[in-house]
Amino acid sequence: GDKHLKLECTLLMVLILSSVTPLTHLQYLSAGQMTDLIYTEKELVQSLREYIKAEESKLAAVKSWANKLDALTRLSTSDPEGYLAHPVNAYKLMKRLNTEWTELESLVLQNPSDGFISNMSTHRQYFPDEEDETGAAKALMRLQDTYQLDSEAFSKGKLSGLHSSALLTVDDCFDMGKTAYNDADYYHAVLWMQQALKQLDAGEEAVVTKADILDYLSYSVYQMGDLPRAIELTRRLVAIDASHQRAGGNLRYFERLLFKQLNEMNQTYEPASEEPIQLGTYSRPKDHLPEREAYEALCRGEGLQMTEARRSRLFCRYHNGYMNPRLLLKPMKEEDEWDSPHIVRYLDILSHGEIQKIKELAKPRLARATVRDPKTGVLTTANYRVSKSAWLEGEDDPVIERVNQRIEDITGLTVTTAELLQVANYGVGGQYEPHYDFSRKDEPDAFKRLGTGNRVATFLNYMSDVEAGGATVFPDFGAAIWPRKGTAVFWYNLFKSGEGDYRTRHAACPVLVGSKWVSNKWIHERGQEFRRPCGLTEVD
């Protein structure tokens, strides 16, 4: 009875989950939306417990009937004629078969799962789908690469010195590896299949078999160009399952290929090590980003070019917005972050209450962040920007109007021609790879439709602290600026001549632990003619 109940529950869950129609993409969900999913899951667990309780109550009632009837039938069948000789027994037999068995039938036909299924139907439209799961897996791999974390660090919940109960099982690691494998990403497939194998060999229970792991691992290692190890792994697979569909053929193919290579190079065969494959055994394939290594090193806090000589040129001061009346009595605290190009940080830019209001206004509008197509000028999504953003205007709330005015007071630049305040939320793995905020000469029409010229400056508000990761980095000159809630950083994207400052190429590092909220104001050229006059040379 209990085993059947557990099986019924499991099958019910599988059937319901397989019928889900997704509407969201997990890799692009904001932290707020992910929080909603947490509460949704909690509600579903409660609903599931209520279903189990109702099913157990039903089963207990059926068991009670069975026990009572079992005792009766033992008595009646021991001496049927003697039993029926008593008129009460005869009456009760008629009653049972006419009434009570019908009631029992109704009890058995009751479906306690109706409430649970109804609750699932209400929430399932918001469930993530296979694409979302794939996106979440890729986010972990992105973090793995950027912060040079081995698969075991994720598996054991050890991130950036933090210890967590969030552990990955053998089956989780296998699914991660399979996600990479299906994307022809054999580098990550090796790392995750190896971790699955390591945990399985350590005695951890799993649904996936060792043969399945070795099958994927050996072929992925072959794709990485390591024939000796591919042969060693395939031999282990054959030893486990001699009748495996592909293993025998793969082994013969790998051996022929290796011995042909050895003959051509006049070398002898040396068996591969049976030690587990570690991070760094194989080189990560190159991709579209030329400064990938420098960018990721800065994200880890490595390769920083803040020398003592440069640090000595940085100061902090009170800034009154060039004698702005609103800042005379309460000037802003200004710190130099970098000397050239000049990047400054302002402290206490946004209060906690203002941040909460901005987030409250943005949350219902958060959508997959977009970038402007350099050829068409049209906003579009891009894989190198993984975040959610919303655009807020002054009419939305007095807080937005107040923030816009504050930015104008501090910078001395008009925000009349600036873009709306953009609020962005980067969840775990959220990033924006190196990019320019201004349009280059090869994309002259990028901001043509706005009619306000190029982006002369960027004002970036940090609206949260980030536990690990999430720095703003400048690969060209080796700077990393870490988020501090309530502060903002400001820099010019263009020289006074109007030429682009190509040193300002920057990136938002992936968030390793936590949630990163920012808001930014892109200030444009028009209206700044007398506020920031043109320089005499190209690089003034």
Side-chain angles (χ1 to χ4, degrees):
D2 289 339
K3 289 183 179 177
H4 290 121
L5 176 61
K6 289 178 183 175
L7 179 60
E8 186 178 342
C9 291
T10 303
L11 290 174
L12 181 65
M13 283 294 290
V14 169
L15 286 170
I16 292 169
L17 290 173
S18 65
S19 66
V20 166
T21 303
L23 293 181
T24 56
H25 295 288
L26 190 65
Q27 67 269 43
Y28 308 133
L29 288 181
S30 70
Q33 290 165 316
M34 292 288 283
T35 303
D36 290 341
L37 287 180
I38 289 288
Y39 288 110
T40 295
E41 188 173 44
K42 181 181 180 181
E43 187 178 329
L44 288 174
V45 169
Q46 181 60 35
S47 181
L48 181 61
R49 289 197 175 280
E50 289 170 2
Y51 157 65
I52 292 170
K53 190 176 179 180
E55 196 74 74
E56 286 174 341
S57 176
K58 169 187 166 180
L59 197 57
V62 173
K63 280 181 178 178
S64 176
W65 276 91
N67 291 336
K68 183 177 72 172
L69 292 167
D70 189 42
L72 278 169
T73 53
R74 274 202 306 271
L75 179 63
S76 62
T77 54
S78 64
D79 179 13
E81 289 187 15
Y83 178 81
L84 290 173
H86 199 291
V88 171
N89 288 341
Y91 162 72
K92 293 188 73 169
L93 176 63
M94 295 301 106
K95 182 184 177 185
R96 280 200 305 274
L97 291 171
N98 180 53
T99 305
E100 296 181 7
W101 276 98
T102 304
E103 291 174 1
L104 181 59
E105 181 185 25
S106 299
L107 177 63
V108 171
L109 289 173
Q110 282 179 10
N111 192 351
S113 66
D114 288 345
F116 176 68
I117 292 173
S118 175
N119 208 352
M120 283 289 293
S121 299
T122 302
H123 291 293
R124 65 184 177 187
Q125 59 182 317
Y126 304 111
F127 278 18
D129 67 350
E130 188 174 344
E131 183 185 352
D132 302 320
E133 183 181 338
T134 299
K138 288 181 178 178
L140 288 189
M141 294 175 205
R142 184 160 59 245
L143 293 172
Q144 182 177 29
D145 293 339
T146 303
Y147 298 105
Q148 292 185 343
L149 302 166
D150 59 28
S151 303
E152 188 166 11
F154 276 106
S155 180
K156 304 302 180 191
K158 298 175 183 175
L159 300 180
S160 189
L162 302 173
H163 291 263
S164 168
S165 59
L167 308 178
L168 292 173
T169 65
V170 171
D171 295 306
D172 290 333
C173 294
F174 177 78
D175 288 338
M176 287 283 294
K178 199 171 177 182
T179 296
Y181 181 92
N182 290 338
D183 205 33
D185 177 4
Y186 301 109
Y187 172 78
H188 288 107
V190 168
L191 294 178
W192 287 101
M193 289 297 173
Q194 176 62 66
Q195 183 60 30
L197 182 63
K198 185 176 179 180
Q199 289 179 217
L200 192 69
D201 285 343
E204 187 178 316
E205 291 186 4
V207 174
V208 68
T209 66
K210 189 170 184 176
D212 286 336
I213 298 172
L214 286 169
D215 187 17
Y216 280 97
L217 181 57
S218 59
Y219 190 78
S220 298
V221 166
Y222 157 68
Q223 287 288 350
M224 291 304 294
D226 190 347
L227 277 170
R229 197 183 288 266
I231 290 169
E232 185 267 326
L233 290 165
T234 310
R235 284 176 177 167
R236 285 162 67 180
L237 173 56
V238 171
I240 293 171
D241 185 0
S243 61
H244 192 279
Q245 187 177 358
R246 291 176 301 278
N250 282 354
L251 182 58
R252 289 188 293 274
Y253 174 71
F254 294 160
E255 287 175 338
R256 280 199 306 271
L257 205 57
L258 177 63
F259 289 120
K260 181 183 176 184
Q261 289 179 6
L262 291 174
N263 286 334
E264 288 173 356
M265 295 184 290
N266 197 25
Q267 293 179 349
T268 57
Y269 172 67
E270 291 185 14
S273 168
E274 294 187 16
E275 290 296 311
I277 301 165
Q278 304 293 339
L279 186 70
T281 300
Y282 303 122
S283 298
R284 184 169 142 212
K286 298 290 182 184
D287 62 15
H288 63 280
L289 200 60
E291 69 264 67
R292 170 72 64 188
E293 291 182 9
Y295 150 58
E296 292 183 348
L298 288 172
C299 289
R300 295 190 298 272
E302 302 168 8
L304 300 174
Q305 300 302 309
M306 182 55 70
T307 61
E308 283 303 316
R310 170 165 269 123
R311 196 184 304 277
S312 68
R313 297 195 291 269
L314 304 182
F315 299 93
C316 59
R317 64 192 73 82
Y318 283 106
H319 175 69
N320 61 20
Y322 314 102
M323 301 295 289
N324 185 290
R326 278 179 288 270
L327 295 179
L328 281 176
L329 293 178
K330 190 181 178 183
M332 299 303 304
K333 300 170 186 172
E334 182 184 77
E335 295 178 348
D336 291 330
E337 285 280 352
W338 203 260
D339 55 349
S340 181
H342 194 205
I343 302 174
V344 295
R345 188 194 294 260
Y346 296 104
L347 279 59
D348 303 323
I349 281 289
L350 297 175
S351 69
H352 176 73
E354 288 173 329
I355 288 171
Q356 291 302 103
K357 187 63 180 179
I358 293 170
K359 288 164 69 172
E360 178 188 319
L361 292 167
K363 280 179 182 179
R365 310 183 194 188
L366 287 173
R368 171 75 196 282
T370 55
V371 294
R372 199 170 293 279
D373 188 300
K375 293 188 174 69
T376 64
V378 175
L379 289 172
T380 182
T381 59
N383 290 331
Y384 56 83
R385 184 172 192 185
V386 185
S387 67
K388 280 233 168 184
S389 66
W391 299 84
L392 302 178
E393 50 188 321
E395 289 79 4
D396 291 329
D397 192 273
V399 165
I400 307 303
E401 188 64 55
R402 196 159 67 238
V403 169
N404 288 340
Q405 184 63 59
R406 194 174 301 153
I407 292 172
E408 182 168 306
D409 293 344
I410 292 169
T411 62
L413 303 173
T414 181
V415 296
T416 306
T417 55
E419 294 175 49
L420 301 181
L421 187 72
Q422 185 190 43
V423 181
N425 180 210
Y426 297 81
V428 172
Q431 64 163 7
Y432 193 174
E433 290 182 351
H435 62 283
Y436 301 101
D437 279 351
F438 64 91
S439 66
R440 276 77 66 211
K441 290 180 179 178
D442 58 346
E443 45 177 25
D445 297 335
F447 303 114
K448 187 175 181 180
R449 291 192 308 132
L450 297 178
T452 53
N454 211 341
R455 287 173 175 167
V456 67
T458 297
F459 196 98
L460 178 63
N461 299 300
Y462 292 116
M463 302 199 302
S464 68
D465 294 311
V466 180
E467 289 183 69
T472 304
V473 297
F474 294 77
D476 184 81
F477 50 89
I481 298 173
W482 304 95
R484 280 157 55 192
K485 183 178 178 180
T487 70
V489 290
F490 173 75
W491 68 86
Y492 282 101
N493 298 303
L494 308 179
F495 292 109
K496 288 185 177 181
S497 63
E499 291 295 319
D501 187 345
Y502 284 80
R503 298 172 300 173
T504 60
R505 184 170 167 86
H506 61 286
C509 295
V511 175
L512 179 58
V513 181
S515 175
K516 177 184 175 184
W517 284 89
V518 298
S519 59
N520 62 275
K521 196 77 172 172
W522 280 310
I523 302 171
H524 283 246
E525 290 178 289
R526 297 294 173 264
Q528 319 303 345
E529 291 83 358
F530 297 103
R531 293 172 181 250
R532 193 189 189 225
C534 184
L536 297 177
T537 68
E538 188 175 297
V539 293
D540 272 358

